[in-house]
């Protein structure tokens, strides 16, 4: 069982964008960060339910496949689930449609828990007012021997990294300079200690960097 | 003739370190940033005058060779030359010994110019109180058809990048998180526009990223 993180960041280290508008809830910057990943065959199959076989099949796709492999539970922040966008909608069920791509229990950290939501395909969203450590323990138990993903956003990921709780950090560095957003790397001096770090560049230009315990 | 920049930065984007002490004028962090470059055969030959043939000969060394190729003049900031460390020493001649590795005119930007210094091996240091643009024109003339290097530090490099004056930016990203220093990428949103960006990873783990006009 390993605790894993996968994030996409810009060259200047921004993992979450801040140009969202009501009409464009992810923002232009988010699209630029995620284009190469969204173009993979695996993303199209797993997230968009597109079984046509279209999509890229190179190094980006290898990481996309790996992303979905052997995950037994996820912990995510309220922002990733969308609670900051729809705080007053008790029926909000996340961004991912009726059959979200998680297929496992997902623990959403929030100060205002709500009832669990069972979705098609094995995903159940649970809402917890818990410390990162407690949430990880709960997720680890639910994962039943499989890996646990710390899903983000970056502020939450930093908390887990600082606490030394992450076994594998995979960062897809997209070769663009965003100049705004929320940074991944802040306040993580010396993070590399105790990890083996390696990197390779995909056909898209994305640099895949992995910190492995 | 092209205007070129080469910098080493950490994953979190720090190009200049800030842990210098009188006893260790570059600081521990600087050593960690530059270790892979300093281990190359080319650095040992060109900077340390070590002709033993020792040193690494892989991808880092290819970039090190390229660094020294076809440069006709350099523009550098007062900090890189050491004027901030030795402001009151009229005999300070930089960090690089009697035969510096530049072998061309070097224009040091400073608000308090001093007389030019001619060194062995073709390096002459000139001290200019000039705008980045004016300094570049002067260096371009001195380079006589060869390339001009913008030598840094990062604040100066940012000025040239923001002004659209750089034809090739090579960044060696060292896979460490420093957490402190002076950032390269700040305030450069959209820098990639107009450049072809590519990257490759050296045996040392350093990621070589090139923005080429």
């Amino acid at each position: 069982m390993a605790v894993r993180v996968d994030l996409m960041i810009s060259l200047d280290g921004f993992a979450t964008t801040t140009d969202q508008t009501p009409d464009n809830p992810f923002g232009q910057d988010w699209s630029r960060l995620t284009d190469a990943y969204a173009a993979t065959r695996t993303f199209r199959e797993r997230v968009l339910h597109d079984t046509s076989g279209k999509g890229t099949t190179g190094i980006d796709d290898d990481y996309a496949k790996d992303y979905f492999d052997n995950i037994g539970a996820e912990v995510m922040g309220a922002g990733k689930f969308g609670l900051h966008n729809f705080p007053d909608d008790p029926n909000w069920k996340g961004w991912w449609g009726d059959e979200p791509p998680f297929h496992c229990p997902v623990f959403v950290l929030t100060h205002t828990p709500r009832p669990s939501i069972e979705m098609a395909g094995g995903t159940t969203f649970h809402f917890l007012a818990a410390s990162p450590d407690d949430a990880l323990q709960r997720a680890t138990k639910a994962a039943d021997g499989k890996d646990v993903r710390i899903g983000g956003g970056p502020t939450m990921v930093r908390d887990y990294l600082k606490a030394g709780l992450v076994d594998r950090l995979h960062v897809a560095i997209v070769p663009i300079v965003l100049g705004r957003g929320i940074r991944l790397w802040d306040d993580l001096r010396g993070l590399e200690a105790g990890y083996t770090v390696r990197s390779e560049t995909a056909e898209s230009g994305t640099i895949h960097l992995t910190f492995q315990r």
Side-chain angles (χ1 to χ4, degrees), chain A:
Chain A
M1 175 272 170
V3 178
R4 291 165 46 184
V5 173
D6 295 76
L7 280 181
M8 288 169 274
I9 67 174
S10 59
L11 278 176
D12 45 347
F14 294 109
T16 289
T17 58
T18 50
D19 65 332
Q20 291 82 357
T21 62
D23 286 349
N24 191 353
F26 293 95
Q28 291 286 337
D29 289 351
W30 183 251
S31 155
R32 301 190 63 213
L33 263 188
T34 58
D35 274 353
Y37 170 54
T40 61
R41 179 184 292 184
T42 297
F43 179 88
R44 297 179 65 110
E45 282 177 8
R46 299 290 299 246
V47 181
L48 304 183
H49 307 290
D50 169 2
T51 54
S52 70
K54 286 181 188 160
T56 63
T57 55
I59 291 174
D60 285 328
D61 194 53
D62 291 343
Y63 282 91
K65 271 187 259 184
D66 189 62
Y67 177 93
F68 288 104
D69 189 44
N70 198 43
I71 296 290
E74 171 159 340
V75 181
M76 71 169 63
K80 178 171 175 183
F81 185 75
L83 291 183
H84 300 163
N85 300 69
F86 304 97
D88 304 319
D89 180 355
N91 295 315
W92 174 250
K93 295 177 180 174
W95 311 98
W96 303 277
D98 292 333
E99 190 180 336
F102 306 102
H103 309 290
C104 66
V106 175
F107 298 90
V108 181
L109 298 191
T110 170
H111 295 294
T112 54
R114 49 180 73 191
S116 297
I117 308 172
E118 202 175 326
M119 309 291 289
T123 299
T124 303
F125 294 114
H126 302 287
F127 301 87
L128 293 183
S131 70
D133 212 356
D134 289 346
L136 178 56
Q137 284 188 33
R138 178 106 180 245
T140 301
K141 204 169 171 185
D144 196 22
K146 290 189 170 180
D147 295 343
V148 173
R149 173 182 313 292
I150 306 302
T155 308
M156 183 182 140
V157 166
R158 272 205 307 272
D159 287 341
Y160 280 98
L161 289 168
K162 278 191 270 189
L165 294 172
V166 176
D167 299 305
R168 190 172 81 192
L169 168 65
H170 161 236
V171 182
I173 304 176
V174 181
I176 58 176
V177 180
L178 287 179
R180 62 189 185 194
I182 299 176
R183 294 182 198 276
L184 169 61
W185 299 121
D186 278 6
D187 205 16
L188 288 176
R189 177 176 172 77
L191 176 67
E192 66 278 4
Y195 290 100
T196 301
V197 185
R198 64 186 194 86
S199 65
E200 62 180 326
T201 301
E203 298 81 354
S204 65
T206 299
I207 301 160
H208 292 276
L209 183 78
T210 307
F211 287 59
Q212 174 79 54
R213 187 101 72 184

